[in-house]
Structure formats: C-alpha cells, structure tokens
C-alpha cells in the first residue's frame, strides 16, 4: 500500500521553520542531530537487499553450473563406456590372439569416429600391441600417469577416468579383453583395450553455460537495482519520517501534538500509531507541566515577595534591636557609671568616718556595677555577631589556641589542671577575635566546671570528616545533668550544679559560642556524663580551611 508523502502536521512544519530560522542565525537548534553521512539508511537497505540477491543468484547459478557439469560428465562417461565395450566386443579375432596387424586395421577404422583420441590394445603386462592414436600427447600422458603405475591402473579397469590436458580432459577407460571360452563364457585374459575420448566439447558446453549463467545473473542484478531501491524506500521512508518527527518531538515547542500519517497495516503502521499516541500523551503532559510551572512560578514569586517582606522586616527589627541595645546600654551604663562614681566619692570622702559595714556596702555597689556593665557589653556584642562581621583573615589556629591557653596558665597552675593540645590545628580563614573568644569561652567554662576530685585535664583536638572539620574541647570535670542538656546553649540558662556550687557566670558564654559557630555554617553540640566530664564538639565546613595535611593524627 502506498504511503502519502505529506508532512506530519502543521505543528511540525512550524517547528521546522523555527529551527531553520535559528540555524540560519548561526544557532544550534535544540532538536537537531549531527549531519547524516553518505551511507544513509535507504542506501544501506538497498545494498543489503542487493547483497542478498547477489548471494542467492550466485548460489543458484553455481548450483546450476555444477549440476549441468555433473550431467554432462555422466553422459560423457556413459558414452565412453558404451563405446569401449562395443569396440572390445569386436576384439580379438577368430584365433583369440592379439595380432598387431589385425588390431591396427580394426582400430584405425575409428579415425572417422569423432572425438576418439586413441584406442590402444596392451597385453597383460601393459605392453602396447597395436591400435589407433590420433592425439599422441594424450596417449603419452596416459602412459605416464596410468600405465606406469600398476596401483592406479588396477583402480581404473572398467572405470571411466579423466586424464587432464590443456583446455580440457580426456575421458579414458581400460576394458579387459578375454579369449572366447566354452559355451560363450569368457576365457583367458588376453590384454586390455584403452580408449580415450576428447572432453573438449563437454568443456566448451560447461564454459558456455557458465557464461550464460553469469550474464543472466548480471542482468538479473541490474534489473533488481531499481526494485531494491523501491523496496528500500518503501521500508525506510516511514522510518525517516518517524525519525524527523522524533527529532521535532525532542525539540519541543510545537503548538499541537506531532502526528505521523502512515496509511499502512503492517508493523510500521502500528509503530506510527504508537508514536502518535505517545506524542499526544507527551503533549498533554507538557501542557500539564507548563500549567504546573506557571502555578509554581506564581507561588515562587509570591513566596519571594513574602520572603523579601519578611527579610526587610527582620532587618528592620534587627536594626531596631541594635538601636534598642545601644540605647539600653547607654541608658543603663550612664546611671551605673553615676552610681559607681558616687560610691567612689563616698568612699574617698567619707570612708574613714563610715563604719565597716557601710564601707563594705559601697564596695559591693561598685562591684555589682562592674558586673552589670560587663553583662551589658556582652549582650551588645552578642547582638552584633550576625549583623556586623569583622575582618576575615588567615588565622593559624595552632598559634591562636596556644595563646589562649597561655592566658589561662595561671588558672591551670593554681587549680592543678593540665592542658593538652593534640596534633596540629589547621589554618582557617575567619575573624580572629571571635574565634579566639570561642576557644576562650570553652576553656573558661571547662575550668569553672572542673570540680575538685579525680583527674583534672582539659584537651583540644581536631579531625577531618567527609565534609567538615570537627574540633573537640574535652574536660574531666563534674559533667552536666541530662535534663540540663536541651537548654545548654540558650541565653541566661545555666546548669543546676552551677547555682548549687556558686560557680560564677551569666549564662551568655555558650550562647555566644553557638552564635559564632553558626555564622560559619557550622554546628555545636555537647556530650556529657555526670562525674566524668564534658566534651563540646564544633564542626565547620571544609571551605574555611586550607589543607588536610595540617591536622596530624
């Protein structure tokens, strides 16, 4: 059934025009593929069909030639056998002897017989007795190949064989000659009749047949070329149209489903129908995805606007909080400074006349003023950690932590503590003052909660993980109760044992550490067991460090 060569759809034509315009402007269309080579699918199919046809024709021609040659050889063999047996029946003469003159006279009569190369009689010892020879070369070859080899001759008695020569082969048979016995039975063996007939005619017929078969095969192949091309086009044109439609479908952008019209009832027609169904389904899905993307874009835009409003609100609130903290710090510090100043004046002016209890109260006032001023400064700094970043620089954490530990050397010596820095800490790009405050707060916290019994040790180490570098600050102090762990890093929250043991502190230090670690995208957590100590873990992303080689095992 003939296919229609119209384009798949108007949508496909529009998409091709669009892609062609893009290609004309020097752009690579989304749905194009690399240029086809000279060996296209129709040409491949045509060559394959011609190859199959040539193979079949060659096989049939070869079989025909072999069959004809076999038939001709069989006919020639039968002819030689009948001729030799007929001649042998007329030999020998009446005296049952091999008379050379008689044999020559009888056998030379065969000179008028077409195709006889020689007819020679030999005795039992294969010595020539007499006969007729037309082709001396044929007789010489026969004598060299057969008569001089008794084994080969015995296999040739009564059997037609071939002796090769230039251009063709002679058909030769050796027939025994017997004397006439009693009652017509064969008598004693007198010799052999050797007859050879020329195979030139048979070879010519075979060559003619081979030429005829070759010409017929060539003619058949030439006639089959357009037929093979038509068959290849019948097969490949639908495939090419499906390939073009597939590229158009892969490129996308068609306003309507891409359809391939093939009015065929075979497998290619079923394939085109399945492609059309797939194209319609994909088009519907693309439309659904497009509508979903539109809805998603609207939602993203709404959420973005909402986030921008929230961010603006947060920035305003953070700025307001900073202003508030500055105002509070200023407004509270001013009265506190006045109170401290008045207490100092009273001590200087009336100290000698005041009772000891009054002096102690004034000193306590000064001390409390200092504590509250320090707390206000810490709260103000805590509010600035995320909003006001300091200068980023390369900081050798090994030197930084060693300097911090050196600052606590007096506490280590007074309280009998040992400090251990395991391995070599790396170089980090960070804010020097704030990272110093992190380690200072953690070491200070470990000193405060060390306790009085057992081993008294503080250690700092680091190890590389898959995506981060993890620091540990470990102590062998009194530990933290499990119920205090969830509130550990909240501001103004302290462990119960801190209040019970009157351990100094304001509940700001760990919140300060957590806020700094999180500004670097890191994590802070703690593991503790009462009576055995506490370990604080800090994990920073690897992007803040320079080399893994700096941390020793």
């Amino acid at each position: 059934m003939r296919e229609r060569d119209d384009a798949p759809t108007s949508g496909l034509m529009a998409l091709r025009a669009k892609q062609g315009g893009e290609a004309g402007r020097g752009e690579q269309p989304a749905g194009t593929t690399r240029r086809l080579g000279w060996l296209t699918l129709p040409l491949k199919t045509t060559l394959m069909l011609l190859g199959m046809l040539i193979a079949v024709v060659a096989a049939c021609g070869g079989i025909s030639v072999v069959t004809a040659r076999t038939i001709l050889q069989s006919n020639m063999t039968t002819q030689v056998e009948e001729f030799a047996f007929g001649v042998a029946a007329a030999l020998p003469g009446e005296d049952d002897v091999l008379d050379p003159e008689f044999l020559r006279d009888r056998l030379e009569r065969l000179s008028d017989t077409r195709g006889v190369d020689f007819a020679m009689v030999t005795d039992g010892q294969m010595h020539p007795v007499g006969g007729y020879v037309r082709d001396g070369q044929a007789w010489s070859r026969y004598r060299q190949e057969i008569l001089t080899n008794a084994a080969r001759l015995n296999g040739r008695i009564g059997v037609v064989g071939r002796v090769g020569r230039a251009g063709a082969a002679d058909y030769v048979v050796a027939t025994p000659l017997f004397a006439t016995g009693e009652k017509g039975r064969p008598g004693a063996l007198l010799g052999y009749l050797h007859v050879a007939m020329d195979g030139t005619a048979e070879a010519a017929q075979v060559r003619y047949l081979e030429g005829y078969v070759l010409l017929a095969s060539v003619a058949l192949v030439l006639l089959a070329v357009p037929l093979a091309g038509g068959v290849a086009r019948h097969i490949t044109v639908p495939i090419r149209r499906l390939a073009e439609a597939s590229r158009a479908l892969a490129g996308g952008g068609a306003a309507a489903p891409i359809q391939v019209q093939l009015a065929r009832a075979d497998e290619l027609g079923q394939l085109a129908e399945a492609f059309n169904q797939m194209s319609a389904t994909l088009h519907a899905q693309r439309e659904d995805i497009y509508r979903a993307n539109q809805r998603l874009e609207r939602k993203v835009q709404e959420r973005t606007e909402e986030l921008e409003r929230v961010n603006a609100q947060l920035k305003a609130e953070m700025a307001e909080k900073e202003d508030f903290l500055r105002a509070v710090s200023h407004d509270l510090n001013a009265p506190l400074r006045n109170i401290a100043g008045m207490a100092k004046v009273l001590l200087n002016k009336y100290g000698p006349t005041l009772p000891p209890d009054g002096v102690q109260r004034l000193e306590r006032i000064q001390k409390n003023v200092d504590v509250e001023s320090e707390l206000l400064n810490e709260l103000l700094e805590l509010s600035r950690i995320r909003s006001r970043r300091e200068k980023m620089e390369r900081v050798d954490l090994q030197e930084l932590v060693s300097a911090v530990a050196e600052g606590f050397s007096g506490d280590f010596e007074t309280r009998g503590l040992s400090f251990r820095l395991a391995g070599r800490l790396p170089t980090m790009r960070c804010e020097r003052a704030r990272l110093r405050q992190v380690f200072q707060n953690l070491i200070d916290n470990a000193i405060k909660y060390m306790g009085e019994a057992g081993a008294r040790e503080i250690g700092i180490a680091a190890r590389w993980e898959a995506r981060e570098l993890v620091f540990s600050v470990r102590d062998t102090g009194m530990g933290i109760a499990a119920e205090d762990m969830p509130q550990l890093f909240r501001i103004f929250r302290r462990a119960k044992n801190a209040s019970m043991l009157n351990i100094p502190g304001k509940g700001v230090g760990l919140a300060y550490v957590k806020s700094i670690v999180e500004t670097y995208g890191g994590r802070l957590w703690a593991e503790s067991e009462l009576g055995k100590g506490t370990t604080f873990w800090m994990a920073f992303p690897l992007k803040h460090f320079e080399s893994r080689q700096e941390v020793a095992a």
Side-chain angles (χ1 to χ4, degrees), residues 213-272:
V213 170
L214 178 61
L215 290 176
S217 300
V218 172
L220 183 60
V221 170
L222 292 177
L223 292 175
V225 169
L227 178 62
V231 173
R233 185 177 182 279
H234 181 77
I235 296 173
T236 58
V237 165
I239 297 176
R240 186 172 66 249
R241 292 171 60 187
L242 283 170
E244 293 175 355
S246 298
R247 286 194 294 271
L249 183 63
I258 298 174
Q259 301 289 301
V260 177
Q261 303 297 332
L262 289 180
R264 299 176 61 141
D266 55 7
E267 288 78 1
L268 288 176
Q270 293 179 354
L271 179 61

Side-chain angles (χ1 to χ4, degrees), residues 310-328 380 383-384 386-388:
V310 172
N311 286 335
Q313 182 179 356
L314 286 175
K315 289 181 180 179
E317 290 178 355
M318 290 176 65
E320 183 180 353
K321 184 182 71 171
E322 289 185 11
D323 294 339
F324 172 76
L325 288 173
R326 282 194 297 270
V328 168
L380 184 60
S383 68
R384 292 174 176 173
R386 297 181 184 273
S387 59
R388 294 187 181 181

Side-chain angles (χ1 to χ4, degrees), residues 18-178:
K18 176 182 177 182
Q19 293 177 348
E22 293 177 351
R25 293 192 298 271
E27 300 177 358
Q28 180 71 17
T32 60
T33 57
R34 62 184 179 89
R35 186 182 301 274
L36 294 176
W38 65 272
L39 195 59
T40 60
L41 181 60
L43 181 57
K44 289 180 181 179
T45 306
T46 302
L47 293 177
M48 182 180 66
L49 293 175
L50 288 177
M52 295 172 60
L53 179 62
I54 291 173
V56 172
V57 169
C60 293
I63 293 173
S64 300
V65 170
V66 171
T67 302
R69 180 183 291 121
T70 302
I71 293 173
L72 289 174
Q73 290 177 355
S74 177
N75 292 337
M76 194 68 180
T77 299
T78 303
Q79 181 179 354
V80 171
E81 288 178 346
E82 292 176 353
F83 179 79
F85 291 151
V87 173
L91 298 175
E94 296 179 354
D95 297 331
D96 287 335
V97 293
L98 297 178
D99 183 7
E101 295 296 333
F102 173 78
L103 294 174
R104 187 180 302 108
D105 179 66
R106 285 294 186 92
L107 294 178
E108 283 184 355
R109 298 176 185 178
L110 298 176
S111 61
D112 297 333
T113 303
R114 183 179 178 182
V116 178
D117 283 342
F118 61 83
M120 183 66 66
V121 176
T122 62
D123 57 17
Q125 303 301 321
M126 296 300 169
H127 298 135
V129 177
Y132 163 73
V133 176
R134 184 178 66 86
D135 189 342
Q137 292 182 356
W139 170 244
S140 298
R141 281 193 300 272
Y142 179 73
R143 291 182 63 185
Q144 292 175 0
E145 296 180 15
I146 303 300
L147 296 184
T148 58
N149 191 329
R152 296 188 64 182
L153 179 62
N154 292 334
R156 291 291 187 95
I157 300 300
V159 179
V160 178
R162 301 182 68 187
V163 177
R165 66 185 180 88
D170 288 330
Y171 289 82
V172 183
V173 63
T175 303
L177 299 176
F178 297 96

Side-chain angles (χ1 to χ4, degrees), residues 442 445 473 480 484-486 488-489 510 523-529 533-538:
L442 292 177
N445 191 76
V473 180
I480 305 171
D484 292 329
M485 295 295 289
L488 187 61
F489 299 106
L510 291 180
R523 301 180 294 127
L524 176 66
W525 70 98
E527 297 174 355
S528 183
E529 186 176 353
T534 304
T535 302
F536 287 91
W537 301 91
M538 296 181 295

Side-chain angles (χ1 to χ4, degrees), residues 172-413:
V172 183
V173 63
T175 303
L177 299 176
F178 297 96
T180 303
E182 298 179 357
K183 299 181 180 180
R185 295 178 180 179
L189 178 64
L190 299 177
Y192 299 94
L193 171 64
H194 305 272
V195 177
M197 299 192 71
D198 187 7
T200 304
E202 176 260 344
Q205 290 179 344
V206 171
R207 286 194 297 272
Y208 173 78
L209 179 61
E210 290 176 347
Y212 177 80
V213 170
L214 178 61
L215 290 176
S217 300
V218 172
L220 183 60
V221 170
L222 292 177
L223 292 175
V225 169
L227 178 62
V231 173
R233 185 177 182 279
H234 181 77
I235 296 173
T236 58
V237 165
I239 297 176
R240 186 172 66 249
R241 292 171 60 187
L242 283 170
E244 293 175 355
S246 298
R247 286 194 294 271
L249 183 63
I258 298 174
Q259 301 289 301
V260 177
Q261 303 297 332
L262 289 180
R264 299 176 61 141
D266 55 7
E267 288 78 1
L268 288 176
Q270 293 179 354
L271 179 61
E273 183 179 355
F275 175 85
N276 294 337
Q277 294 176 357
M278 178 186 69
S279 176
T281 302
L282 288 177
H283 182 77
Q285 291 176 350
R286 283 179 175 175
E287 291 295 322
D288 294 340
I289 293 173
Y290 176 77
R291 289 190 291 269
N293 285 339
Q294 293 293 323
R295 293 193 297 270
L296 182 59
E297 288 178 0
R298 287 194 296 270
K299 289 183 179 180
V300 170
Q301 185 176 1
E302 293 172 359
R303 294 293 176 85
T304 302
E305 294 174 354
E306 182 180 355
L307 287 174
E308 289 176 352
R309 289 194 299 270
V310 172
N311 286 335
Q313 182 179 356
L314 286 175
K315 289 181 180 179
E317 290 178 355
M318 290 176 65
E320 183 180 353
K321 184 182 71 171
E322 289 185 11
D323 294 339
F324 172 76
L325 288 173
R326 282 194 297 270
V328 168
S329 175
H330 180 270
D331 293 344
L332 290 180
N333 273 325
L336 289 174
R337 285 194 298 271
N338 290 335
I339 293 172
M342 291 181 66
K344 185 176 181 180
V345 170
L346 289 174
L347 282 174
N348 291 335
K349 188 174 182 179
Y350 301 103
T353 62
L354 291 175
D357 182 62
V359 174
Q360 290 180 358
R361 290 179 183 275
L362 288 175
E363 291 177 348
R364 188 180 302 168
I365 289 173
Q366 284 186 323
K367 193 173 185 180
N368 288 334
V369 168
D370 293 338
V371 171
E372 294 303 322
S373 297
E374 184 180 353
L375 176 60
L376 288 174
N377 292 331
E378 289 181 356
L379 290 175
L380 184 60
E381 180 63 22
L382 180 62
S383 68
R384 292 174 176 173
I385 289 175
R386 297 181 184 273
S387 59
R388 294 187 181 181
R389 302 299 297 272
E390 297 181 358
K391 178 184 177 182
M392 303 292 290
E393 57 182 309
R394 293 177 69 255
V395 177
D396 187 345
L397 295 183
Q398 182 78 14
E399 296 180 0
L400 185 142
V401 174
S402 298
V404 171
E406 182 66 24
F408 287 103
S409 60
D411 294 310
F412 295 156
E413 184 176 354

Side-chain angles (χ1 to χ4, degrees), residues 421-489:
L421 184 58
R424 166 80 186 175
L425 299 185
T427 299
M428 181 178 182
R429 185 168 182 79
C430 59
E431 303 157 291
R432 179 183 295 273
R434 288 182 173 171
L435 260 293
R436 178 186 182 90
Q437 192 66 41
V438 165
F439 287 101
Q440 183 172 317
N441 285 2
L442 292 177
I443 294 175
D444 181 63
N445 191 76
I447 294 173
K448 290 178 181 179
Y449 290 87
M450 181 56 66
E452 301 298 335
R456 301 164 63 80
E457 182 180 295
I458 298 174
I460 296 180
R463 71 169 186 267
W464 292 103
E465 299 288 349
R467 298 182 178 179
E468 54 192 4
L469 181 63
V470 180
F471 294 91
S472 63
V473 180
R474 180 185 56 83
D475 65 67
T476 58
M478 61 183 66
I480 305 171
E483 58 268 21
D484 292 329
M485 295 295 289
Q487 311 295 329
L488 187 61
F489 299 106

